[in-house]
Amino acid sequence: MGYLADIYVIKKTRSKKLADDFLNHFLPNRKESADEYLIPEYSDNPTHEFDNADELMSFLEKNENYPNRVYWRNTDEENLNKHGMIFYTEDGAMIFGISRNTDMSGNLNTENEDLCLIEMKKYFDTNIGYIHYENPPAESYKKFVEIVNKLEK
């Protein structure tokens, strides 16, 4: 079984257009990983329900105080980007993520992940990003930046 490297960058925005542009650039052939989306997420008594990610992202763009997560699977098996993710943080930011297969055998060859992080930082015009392995990102802008700062030391 393979392992996934999760490559993340964060932006202080809730722009649906930026989300769509990200997905079209990094994961043009995709399928949503969920059939429904709830506010609050995973709630037994949701206040809002959406049938697709597009509806959810439109809502979250206008309602910055709701956190949520959206995942897509790449339908192009030749593409290195296996999954796309957008995490809406509790403080109005968005974390954009790509999952790629990685070698966890101990040879520490991370070129595949490093190149993706460089490309994502350039695409989003930011230096705030990091790579993690099969773990969700921080839940707020502040915590995300703290992780990046620790990794850079």
Side-chain angles (χ1 to χ4, degrees):
M1 179 176 134
Y3 293 95
L4 294 174
D6 299 316
I7 302 104
Y8 300 121
V9 298
I10 193 166
K11 294 293 283 187
K12 281 190 172 182
T13 184
R14 282 290 182 106
S15 169
K16 183 176 178 307
K17 180 181 180 336
L18 186 61
D20 289 336
D21 291 347
F22 159 74
L23 291 167
N24 290 332
H25 181 82
F26 288 94
L27 213 69
N29 303 301
R30 62 189 175 272
K31 180 170 175 34
E32 292 178 30
S33 296
D35 295 329
E36 68 176 357
Y37 302 91
L38 307 175
I39 302 287
E41 192 174 21
Y42 307 122
S43 174
D44 289 333
N45 298 305
T47 57
H48 299 83
E49 296 181 46
F50 304 96
D51 293 329
N52 58 60
D54 193 60
E55 291 174 359
L56 173 68
M57 292 189 306
S58 292
F59 175 84
L60 292 170
E61 180 177 45
K62 295 178 182 95
N63 297 275
E64 293 187 359
N65 57 328
Y66 290 102
N68 216 295
R69 297 170 255 198
V70 189
Y71 298 89
W72 293 264
R73 178 182 53 81
N74 197 336
T75 58
D76 176 3
E77 294 189 20
E78 300 299 314
N79 191 313
L80 293 174
N81 301 332
K82 300 305 177 192
H83 301 276
M85 305 162 278
I86 300 177
F87 299 84
Y88 292 83
T89 67
E90 58 196 25
D91 55 359
M94 295 170 76
I95 299 169
F96 298 88
I98 293 292
S99 291
R100 287 187 167 188
N101 290 330
T102 191
D103 180 4
M104 297 294 279
S105 65
N107 71 9
L108 300 178
N109 181 0
T110 61
E111 182 178 5
N112 179 28
E113 300 95 282
D114 293 341
L115 291 174
C116 184
L117 181 58
I118 290 166
E119 181 182 358
M120 288 177 69
K121 284 179 175 181
K122 183 177 178 182
Y123 183 84
F124 286 104
D125 191 25
T126 185
N127 285 321
I128 308 172
Y130 67 91
I131 301 168
H132 218 288
Y133 298 89
E134 299 200 11
N135 274 310
E139 295 179 6
S140 71
Y141 188 88
K142 181 181 177 185
K143 290 178 184 176
F144 192 99
V145 171
E146 287 173 2
I147 290 171
V148 170
N149 289 337
K150 285 180 186 175
L151 291 172
E152 290 178 349
K153 289 182 179 180

